[in-house]
Amino acid sequence: MKIFEYLQKYDYEQVVLCQDETSGLKAIIAIHDTTLGPALGGTRFWTYATEEEAIVDALRLSRGMTYKNAAAGLNIGGGKTVIIGDPYKDKSEALFRAFGRFVHSLGGRYITAEDVGTTVQDMEYIRMETPYVCGIVGQGGSGDPSPATAYGVWQGIKACAMVKWQDNSLKNKVIAVQGLGNVGKNLCRHLAEEGAKLIVTDINEKNVEIIVDLYGAEAVKPDEVYSVECDIFAPCALGAGVNDNTIDLFKCSIIAGAANNVLQNPEHGDALDKKGILYAPDFVINAGGVINVAEELNGYNKEKAYAKIAKIYDNVLGVFKIAERDGIPTYLAAERLAEERINKIGKVRNTYVR
Ligand code: NAD
């Protein structure tokens, strides 16, 4: 792998390889951009086929965090860690404490949190060695980010409704929610409380039963959800829901949900644009969790955090304004929103202050 060529391509700042033989730690911390502030991004614990695959994943994810944090209006840069290993077999107190010491050695340039394969308990171990960790419970921690993410997605959906129908009320709107896990179930609660009509699906039937019982939702099979007649499709399962097989099935006016990487390829964003389906870019609408966790850096206060998450409404509107201004699809406009903020704030910080 031509590592410096790769780093130059997207202007990465720093990559740190961390090794501890006793605990078996093999971690890669990637810091993409700290123009706006310290790099914040979770720690992924995953089995990778090769070391190169792990490095590329850390780099790709850290750059994604730069965009997500910037578009969310945070004074936070983008970073991410991957730890190579099996999350079911290789995790230990010693490993996370060894990792915590490496995080500490960066002096606050990088702040970590949970991600796929890591838990609140793992963050507690890291916290024993460094204060540069978020997503803990108690001691000023913000706890489970999923309700915050769901709250932000709800606000983002309302912004979409405003643009599509000049009215942000979701009362009587038919909304298909795919995936009723931690975020999806909380989103359903907000939508039902506002009077939306829910169509729901999940591969786990128990999750479906709960939402049907609670909110009188209509249940459909997982492969039927793409083609149901609805106003809004809210993907809250895994990524790549908009792909070659599904793109022609949608009968909705809006696609807006919590899932990461909703578009399998950028071309699918172009296709939605051509079909007149309004797409709320994933990293803008699903930023509630990171906004919530970043509030820990200011001393966590739930009311303040949720007031910031509510701004996802404005952020989504901001994306649509850029899309209209520049005549580009919304997924590209989201990147532009982030880049414009980084450039503007970066310039502000050029002024010398003693
Ligand atoms: P989760 O694992 O709790 O829930 C996902 C649900 O989707 C599960 O109930 C699962 O059974 C279901 N599912 C999986 N494949 C499916 C399919 N093909 N059809 C229907 N249902 C399917 O995850 P979560 O925390 O609720 O996150 C949901 C999505 O939102 C993920 O893409 C995640 O990356 C993204 N996200 C989550 C957060 C957060 O705060 N949890 C933040 C940002 C983004």
Side-chain angles (χ1 to χ4, degrees):
M1 179 183 186
K2 292 192 170 163
I3 185 90
F4 278 103
E5 213 170 87
Y6 196 104
L7 299 186
Q8 274 168 349
K9 187 171 173 198
Y10 295 113
D11 205 9
Y12 289 91
E13 289 180 14
Q14 190 176 11
V15 182
V16 186
L17 303 181
C18 316
Q19 190 282 135
D20 176 63
E21 203 196 344
T22 318
S23 64
L25 174 74
K26 287 194 195 86
I28 300 140
I29 303 173
I31 298 178
H32 175 245
D33 188 289
T34 58
T35 306
L36 295 177
L40 171 67
T43 293
R44 182 163 295 194
F45 206 113
W46 203 244
T47 44
Y48 290 92
T50 63
E51 289 173 2
E52 182 171 330
E53 199 183 282
I55 293 171
V56 169
D57 209 27
L59 291 171
R60 186 181 61 81
L61 293 166
S62 70
R63 182 164 168 263
M65 288 310 296
T66 298
Y67 280 84
K68 185 169 193 163
N69 294 337
L74 296 170
N75 288 316
I76 298 280
K80 198 92 178 184
T81 296
V82 306
I83 298 183
I84 301 172
D86 183 337
Y88 296 102
K89 287 200 298 223
D90 299 331
K91 296 206 292 188
S92 68
E93 176 183 351
L95 181 143
F96 283 107
R97 291 184 70 164
F99 174 59
R101 294 186 75 78
F102 284 110
V103 171
H104 198 65
S105 74
L106 292 169
R109 268 176 59 68
Y110 169 68
I111 299 161
T112 198
E114 289 105 328
D115 193 62
V116 176
T118 55
T119 63
V120 170
Q121 175 61 69
D122 303 332
M123 297 307 116
E124 298 286 348
Y125 291 139
I126 295 171
R127 182 57 162 254
M128 291 175 189
E129 304 296 335
T130 181
Y132 304 124
V133 53
C134 293
I136 51 163
V137 174
Q139 306 161 24
S142 60
D144 176 12
S146 309
T149 302
Y151 180 72
V153 171
W154 174 43
Q155 293 303 309
I157 290 178
K158 287 174 74 64
C160 294
M162 191 66 194
V163 166
K164 205 67 183 173
W165 302 302
Q166 292 73 55
D167 179 356
N168 69 14
S169 168
L170 301 177
K171 192 167 169 36
N172 292 326
K173 294 290 181 219
V174 179
I175 306 181
V177 181
Q178 178 196 37
L180 306 170
N182 293 319
V183 180
K185 68 179 180 199
N186 282 294
L187 177 64
C188 285
R189 174 170 48 83
H190 291 299
L191 299 176
E193 280 171 5
E194 210 189 324
K197 294 181 179 150
L198 298 178
I199 298 175
V200 296
T201 193
D202 197 294
I203 49 172
N204 178 337
E205 282 177 17
K206 191 91 202 116
N207 289 354
V208 176
E209 271 168 36
I210 292 170
I211 300 299
V212 168
D213 286 351
L214 278 174
Y215 310 120
E218 180 193 335
V220 295
K221 298 240 151 51
D223 56 352
E224 289 168 2
V225 73
Y226 302 104
S227 52
V228 293
E229 296 272 359
C230 62
D231 296 303
I232 300 163
F233 174 70
C236 298
L238 303 180
V242 180
N243 57 50
D244 286 344
N245 298 327
T246 61
I247 190 80
D248 292 326
L249 301 178
F250 294 110
K251 298 192 183 75
C252 55
S253 303
I254 292 168
I255 295 184
N260 279 312
N261 308 315
V262 169
L263 306 175
Q264 188 180 41
N265 295 309
E267 298 81 67
H268 297 119
D270 300 331
L272 289 179
D273 195 47
K274 283 207 188 83
K275 283 165 77 82
I277 296 177
L278 188 63
Y279 169 62
D282 44 21
F283 69 82
V284 179
I285 193 168
N286 74 16
V290 77
I291 297 172
N292 197 50
V293 103
E295 233 358 68
E296 287 183 23
L297 304 173
N298 307 318
Y300 186 70
N301 174 307
K302 188 172 176 186
E303 217 172 292
K304 274 196 192 161
Y306 273 63
K308 285 189 184 169
I309 297 164
K311 294 220 166 77
I312 287 179
Y313 184 96
D314 300 319
N315 297 344
V316 170
L317 289 183
V319 168
F320 296 153
K321 273 198 195 115
I322 290 175
E324 203 182 344
R325 181 194 74 191
D326 297 353
I328 53 174
T330 57
Y331 77 93
L332 286 177
E335 291 177 11
R336 214 162 274 185
L337 175 83
E339 285 160 3
E340 285 179 5
R341 179 172 157 75
I342 293 167
N343 290 337
K344 267 190 211 147
I345 305 299
K347 289 220 170 86
V348 167
R349 293 197 168 172
N350 279 347
T351 305
Y352 173 73
V353 188
R354 214 180 134 175

